[in-house]
Amino acid sequence: DVAGATSDLHIAIELARVLRDPQELMPALGAAALVFEETGREPEAEHLAAELVELADRYPYDSTWTLSLDFLFSRCMAKHVGPLRAALSKAADVPWKAIALACLDDDHIRAADLFAKAGSPTSEARLRLRAAEDLAVAGRLDESREQAQLALDFHRRVAASRYIELEIRLLERSA
């Protein structure tokens, strides 16, 4: 239910703003940016992305682990790679920073591999799907199918129907 999800995201953002805590606000902004982007509300997604990037610059330590995966593999993030990289350069070297930098480099396979190593199969699968989409656009169909199949294997195990449908369509288009 898109309307319910976007309503919940608006509430989460407003509550996080009241708290004035970047550790609450940054993940809420990132999740909302991705959902708005995926539901055709790009201007709203871009507005939230700009706010998130400003916070990342102000709170670089927090940004290493509060830049949500949702935001890091959103397409609206791509417009902010330079400022995000600058913010992360001020932060300590922690595993999440390596994942964030891999996403900024558009190396979603490396980011997925890092999540796999960390024991986070959900994030790994979402990044493999993003990698598969990008590889398909680049005409690298064998690699795209490989990543899509890895993502599909996980999403079938957890019955994530939305992602299963996306991966099956991607595999069919690249066959």
Side-chain angles (χ1 to χ4, degrees), residues 53 56-57 60 63 80-91 97 101 104:
V53 170
D57 185 56
S63 70
H80 304 280
V81 170
L84 287 168
R85 191 176 301 285
L88 288 169
S89 74
K90 301 176 207 172
K97 181 178 175 179
L101 291 171
L104 293 178

Side-chain angles (χ1 to χ4, degrees), residues 39-60:
T39 57
R41 298 167 65 176
E42 286 86 3
E44 193 170 2
E46 180 52 42
H47 174 76
L48 297 175
E51 183 179 353
L52 178 53
V53 170
E54 183 182 312
L55 285 168
D57 185 56
R58 247 189 295 160
Y59 303 99

Side-chain angles (χ1 to χ4, degrees), residues 15-33:
L15 290 173
R17 284 186 176 132
V18 168
L19 293 174
R20 304 175 86 128
D21 182 352
Q23 295 173 18
E24 296 293 331
L25 185 54
M26 291 169 73
L29 291 169

Side-chain angles (χ1 to χ4, degrees), residues 23-138:
Q23 295 173 18
E24 296 293 331
L25 185 54
M26 291 169 73
L29 291 169
L34 178 65
V35 169
F36 294 156
E37 176 183 278
E38 288 183 346
T39 57
R41 298 167 65 176
E42 286 86 3
E44 193 170 2
E46 180 52 42
H47 174 76
L48 297 175
E51 183 179 353
L52 178 53
V53 170
E54 183 182 312
L55 285 168
D57 185 56
R58 247 189 295 160
Y59 303 99
Y61 174 76
D62 292 329
S63 70
T64 60
W65 52 279
T66 58
L67 281 173
S68 71
L69 173 62
D70 299 320
F71 181 65
L72 286 170
F73 74 81
S74 70
R75 305 222 187 271
C76 64
M77 178 277 295
K79 297 176 185 172
H80 304 280
V81 170
L84 287 168
R85 191 176 301 285
L88 288 169
S89 74
K90 301 176 207 172
D93 288 328
V94 295
W96 179 246
K97 181 178 175 179
I99 292 169
L101 291 171
C103 289
L104 293 178
D105 292 339
D106 267 341
D107 191 345
H108 298 103
I109 294 173
R110 181 169 47 116
D113 290 344
L114 290 168
F115 268 121
K117 199 166 153 183
S120 181
T122 302
S123 297
E124 174 194 355
R126 290 181 71 192
L127 281 160
R128 292 204 187 281
L129 171 58
R130 173 64 195 275
E133 292 168 342
D134 291 349
L135 290 164
V137 168

